[in-house]
Amino acid sequence: MEVLPLNAIIYNQEKVDLKDVIAPPYDVIDEKYQDELYKRSEFNIVRLILTKGENRYTDAKKYFEDWKEKEVLIKTKKPSIFYIIQKYKNEKGKLIERKGFIARNKIEDFETKKVLPHEYTMGGPKQDRLNLVSETGAFFSQIFMVYDDKTKAIEKMVEKYLSQKPFMDVVDDLGVENIVYLIDEPDDIKVIEETLKDKTLLIADGHHRYETSINYSKLHPENEYAKYVMSYFTNAQDENLVIYPTHRIIQKEVNPKDLLAKTSKYYDVEVLSDKEKFLEKIEEENKKQITTGLILKNDKNYYVLKLKPNVNKSIEAPEVLQNLDLVVLHELILKKELNYTDNELMAQNGIKYEKQEPVAFNSVKDGSASACFIMAYPKMKDIIDISSKGYRMPQKSTYFYPKLLSGIVINPLK
C-alpha cells in the first residue's frame, strides 16, 4: 500500500484551545451534543463536519474559507505524519494506550484486495459526505485502518519522539487523552512508507467515508490529491487495539416467553441471576463456541445462549460467515423467528444497534424494549478472515474504541 505524508491543515494553537474546537466523528453527534459544540467555540470543527441549517454544505465551505483567512486554520510547514497515542482507563480501571498515526494512502477499489472492508454501508451517509467534500474540497475526518506488522518497525522508530514535547495534547469529552507527535523528517517518514508498502489494509471504521473517497476520486480523475485519502493506521499487533461489540435491542413487541422458547431451538440456555457473572460467562463460553447473552423485559434473570452443535450449518452462507455470532443471530433468530426483513435490519426499523452496554441493559430494564441480545467481544481474527475472503459482516458489527477525533488534522484536496 502506498502511504504518504499529508500536506495538512491544522488548527493554529496560538489562536484556539484544541479542547474547544475538536469533536468526535459526525455520525456519533446527536442534536443536543451538536448544539453544545456550537456554543463551545465559533471555530469548533462541528461547523464543518455537521453544519446546522438548510445550506449545510455551502455554509461549511464559508466557515472553512473564513477560518483559513483568519489563520485559525493553517498549513504545516512540511508534509507530515501525525503519530497519536490515545490514553484512557477501561471499565476495570486499566490504563489503555492505543498507538497509531495519521497519513494518507492511495485509494484502491476493493477488487484489488489491497483495502478490505468488513461491514456493509448505506447510500444516504455516502451521498452526504460526497456533498460535503465536493463543496469544501477537503476531508475533515480520517478512515480507521488496521495493518499487520509483527516486527513493530514503526513503533520502534517512534520511540525517540516520545521523550519530546507533544505537538498536540488534548483530552476529549470522554476523558481520552490524545497525544500527538509530528513526524516530518524524511528518514522517519521513509520507515513508515516502507513498512506499509507490502501491507493490506483492513477498514476498521469509516466505511462510508472510504467509499465516498472512491466516488470523489472517480469524479475528479484530474486531481492528484483526490487519489489519496486521509487515514489513521494502527497495528493489529497492538495489544491495546480494543474492539467492542454492538448489541441488538429488540423494539418490536415480543412475548418474552415466546422469544426464549424460540432461541431454545438453536441455543442451550443457562440462567444466571448476577449481571457481572452473566457478562463474564458470555466471554468465557464464547472462546469455546458461539455464545450470546439475552435479557428480557420484566425478567430479572440473565440468559447465556450457547449455540447447539451444527445448527449454524443450516444457514445459507459461506462457512466463514456461518461461524460468526452475529450472522447466526441475524439469520436464525431475527429473520427466521422474529420475521425481520433485510431492509428492516439495515434501516434499524424495530431494532436498534447499541454500542453502549449500560444503554442496552437499561432499554430492557426500563421497559422501552422487549429484549436485548448482548454480544460477545468481536475477535480480530474473525474480522480479518471474513474480509480477506471477500465477505462482509452485518452492519454495526464492531466498535473500535476510542473513536478518532475530528479536528486533529484536515486533508485538503488541492
Side-chain angles (χ1 to χ4, degrees):
M1 173 56 63
E2 184 182 358
V3 172
L4 298 173
L6 286 157
N7 298 300
I9 291 176
I10 56 173
Y11 275 104
N12 184 347
Q13 295 183 71
E14 293 182 0
K15 296 203 171 188
V16 296
D17 186 335
L18 287 177
K19 173 70 176 173
D20 297 331
V21 295
I22 57 168
Y26 78 99
D27 56 347
V28 297
I29 300 175
D30 61 21
E31 190 173 346
K32 182 181 177 183
Y33 191 33
Q34 182 189 26
D35 290 340
E36 183 182 327
L37 292 170
Y38 254 77
K39 291 173 185 174
R40 189 172 294 177
S41 171
E42 63 181 304
F43 302 119
N44 191 283
I45 193 77
V46 75
R47 295 173 187 262
L48 304 182
I49 63 173
L50 196 62
T51 319
K52 289 183 178 182
E54 294 180 6
N55 304 312
R56 292 176 53 206
Y57 310 113
T58 53
D59 286 352
K61 180 181 180 180
K62 288 176 186 175
Y63 285 129
F64 188 40
E65 296 303 325
D66 179 55
W67 298 356
K68 287 188 289 184
E69 277 187 32
K70 292 177 177 175
E71 296 188 344
V72 170
L73 293 175
I74 55 176
K75 284 195 171 183
T76 50
K77 294 176 182 177
K78 295 191 286 185
S80 306
I81 290 174
F82 298 76
Y83 193 83
I84 302 178
I85 300 174
Q86 290 177 292
K87 291 185 178 182
Y88 67 98
K89 287 186 178 179
N90 66 12
E91 61 277 4
K92 295 181 179 178
K94 179 184 176 184
L95 181 64
I96 306 292
E97 297 186 16
R98 191 180 70 194
K99 303 174 181 69
F101 59 92
I102 296 176
R104 59 189 175 120
N105 61 277
K106 184 81 175 290
I107 294 169
E108 298 280 354
D109 285 332
F110 295 137
E111 289 75 17
T112 69
K113 296 197 172 180
K114 292 182 180 180
V115 175
L116 303 176
H118 80 271
E119 288 184 345
Y120 286 102
T121 58
M122 295 179 290
K126 288 185 281 190
Q127 187 60 52
D128 168 58
R129 293 299 96 180
L130 183 60
N131 292 343
L132 181 62
V133 67
S134 297
E135 192 66 43
T136 61
F139 276 106
F140 302 109
S141 302
Q142 50 277 326
I143 320 300
F144 189 147
M145 300 287 197
V146 176
Y147 68 95
D148 192 6
D149 177 34
K150 293 179 175 61
T151 70
K152 296 191 174 183
I154 295 171
E155 290 87 334
K156 291 172 184 174
M157 179 274 291
V158 166
E159 283 181 6
K160 63 186 178 186
Y161 286 86
L162 304 186
S163 60
Q164 301 175 11
K165 182 181 177 182
F167 183 66
M168 300 178 189
D169 191 347
V170 60
V171 178
D172 66 26
D173 288 342
L174 294 177
V176 179
E177 184 178 12
N178 296 262
I179 305 168
V180 183
Y181 297 90
L182 191 70
I183 299 175
D184 58 10
E185 293 300 322
D187 287 347
D188 295 334
I189 289 173
K190 190 172 182 181
V191 170
I192 294 173
E193 292 175 347
E194 289 296 315
T195 300
L196 273 291
K197 188 167 63 175
D198 63 346
K199 302 300 181 191
T200 297
L201 302 178
L202 171 73
I203 301 177
D205 196 12
H207 288 78
H208 291 96
R209 294 190 289 275
Y210 187 78
E211 290 185 29
T212 297
S213 72
I214 292 175
N215 294 336
Y216 186 83
S217 68
K218 289 178 178 177
L219 289 171
H220 300 277
E222 78 293 344
N223 186 341
E224 287 298 313
Y225 290 102
K227 294 177 181 177
Y228 297 82
V229 66
M230 177 171 65
S231 297
Y232 165 87
F233 305 82
T234 192
N235 193 346
Q237 300 298 320
D238 186 349
E239 63 279 4
N240 289 315
L241 178 59
V242 178
I243 315 169
Y244 288 93
T246 304
H247 311 295
R248 270 44 182 168
I249 298 174
I250 305 302
Q251 296 175 318
K252 282 183 178 181
E253 196 61 43
V254 177
N255 182 290
K257 288 184 180 178
D258 287 348
L259 179 54
L260 196 57
K262 287 173 178 177
T263 56
S264 299
K265 295 179 188 178
Y266 310 98
Y267 297 87
D268 291 320
V269 180
E270 182 177 349
V271 186
L272 296 174
S273 58
D274 182 87
K275 179 181 173 181
E276 293 307 315
K277 288 182 180 176
F278 166 68
L279 293 171
E280 289 173 8
K281 192 73 172 178
I282 293 171
E283 297 305 323
E284 178 187 322
E285 294 295 332
N286 195 53
K287 293 174 183 175
K288 299 177 280 187
Q289 67 198 103
I290 290 176
T291 303
T292 301
L294 173 63
I295 51 177
L296 298 167
K297 183 177 177 179
N298 300 325
D299 189 333
K300 293 181 180 180
N301 289 322
Y302 301 94
Y303 299 93
V304 179
L305 311 178
K306 293 172 278 189
L307 193 68
K308 293 178 179 179
N310 298 320
V311 298
N312 53 322
K313 303 304 180 187
S314 66
I315 296 171
E316 292 185 9
E319 185 177 2
V320 71
L321 290 174
Q322 290 176 347
N323 294 324
L324 187 71
D325 58 353
L326 267 176
V327 170
V328 172
L329 178 68
H330 277 224
E331 295 299 323
L332 298 181
I333 305 298
L334 301 185
K335 291 166 68 174
K336 188 173 180 180
E337 297 294 339
L338 297 183
N339 299 315
Y340 281 96
T341 66
D342 286 324
N343 286 340
E344 284 176 327
L345 292 174
M346 183 65 78
Q348 294 189 53
N349 183 5
I351 187 168
K352 181 183 178 185
Y353 303 151
E354 180 55 57
K355 301 177 180 72
Q356 303 297 328
E357 191 177 275
V359 175
F361 275 89
N362 289 337
S363 67
V364 177
K365 297 305 178 185
D366 68 12
S368 61
S370 298
C372 181
F373 290 95
I374 302 296
M375 308 309 299
Y377 277 60
K379 304 181 183 75
M380 178 57 76
K381 180 183 181 301
D382 290 340
I383 300 170
I384 293 172
D385 285 349
I386 289 167
S387 57
S388 63
K389 288 180 171 65
Y391 303 114
R392 301 198 196 190
M393 300 164 72
Q395 72 167 140
K396 304 297 180 185
S397 295
T398 56
Y399 176 36
F400 287 79
Y401 184 85
K403 289 281 189 178
L404 298 164
L405 290 175
S406 297
I408 298 294
V409 191
I410 293 169
N411 181 31
L413 299 179
K414 56 185 177 181

